[in-house]
Amino acid sequence: MKLYGFPMSPNSRRVQLTLEEIEEPYEYVTVDLTKGEHKQAEYLALNPFGRVPTLVDGGYVLWESHAILQYLAAKYPEKGLDGGNPHEKGEIAKWLFANAAHFGPAAARVFAHTIRLPEEQRMPRVAEEGRAEVTKVLGVLEEALKGKEWLVSARLTLADIAFTPTLAFAPMLGFDLSQYPHLSAWLDRIRDRPSYKKIYG
Ligand SMILES: N[C@@H](CCC(=O)N[C@@H](CS)C(=O)NCC(=O)O)C(=O)O
């Protein structure tokens, strides 16, 4: 397998964490976003949206990080990353969609409009709305994690992995995660895993 990604990209890191959990060898190919490599014809032939990550598994090409997570979990069912029964699978899908549709994009908006974009292009209102959405999701996660080690199952699943890269860069965006004790304890459990240590150092 080959993973096309960019080191600082949370969406790429989500897939890297999953590949490390699965413990299958893979080749990491850096697509340098700062040099615009993701918009060049060679990469667009793999991913027409020109975004990272993209996974290439033999002749199969797959983009969208959460879809890649589900593919990897389905390919290696013995790792149990996609839950053990329909109820768990439904719960995992729920959290994956919540992250893909709400949490990740909201955090990306905060990042863009407070750090990434040149000052004259930043829109405080967009940053504020993103911040409100991120805060909402943090509260929902905190509530969901009360009395639980992992979001869905008795063990780590894709649901836990999916949120990790967004949460890892939340402090840089000014979010104080210590206000959420259950979420913080859960994040510490994830940080203790060899997969996290390998990707985040
Ligand atoms: N929904 C996509 C988002 C991918 C995405 O936006 N990746 C960012 C890096 S974290 C990117 O490639 N940005 C470059 C661009 O949009 O031009 C996924 O989860 O894979």
Side-chain angles (χ1 to χ4, degrees), residues 9-12 14 33 38-39 50-53 63-66:
S9 148
N11 293 302
S12 303
R14 177 172 305 116
L33 302 185
H38 54 310
K39 302 297 181 198
R51 297 195 176 110
V52 291
W63 33 261
E64 278 299 323
S65 62
H66 296 81

Side-chain angles (χ1 to χ4, degrees), residues 109-158:
R109 284 199 295 279
V110 178
F111 176 60
H113 290 274
T114 56
I115 297 172
R116 184 172 62 77
L117 289 170
E119 230 159 286
E120 67 278 7
Q121 289 176 30
R122 294 181 196 166
M123 291 191 275
R125 178 142 173 252
V126 175
E128 216 172 284
E129 283 169 3
R131 195 168 283 287
E133 181 69 25
V134 169
T135 305
K136 173 80 192 157
V137 178
L138 291 173
V140 171
L141 284 172
E142 174 69 5
E143 200 54 35
L145 285 159
K146 276 186 184 156
K148 283 162 84 177
E149 281 201 20
W150 305 104
L151 260 181
V152 171
S153 164
R155 46 150 300 150
L156 173 127
T157 67
L158 295 182

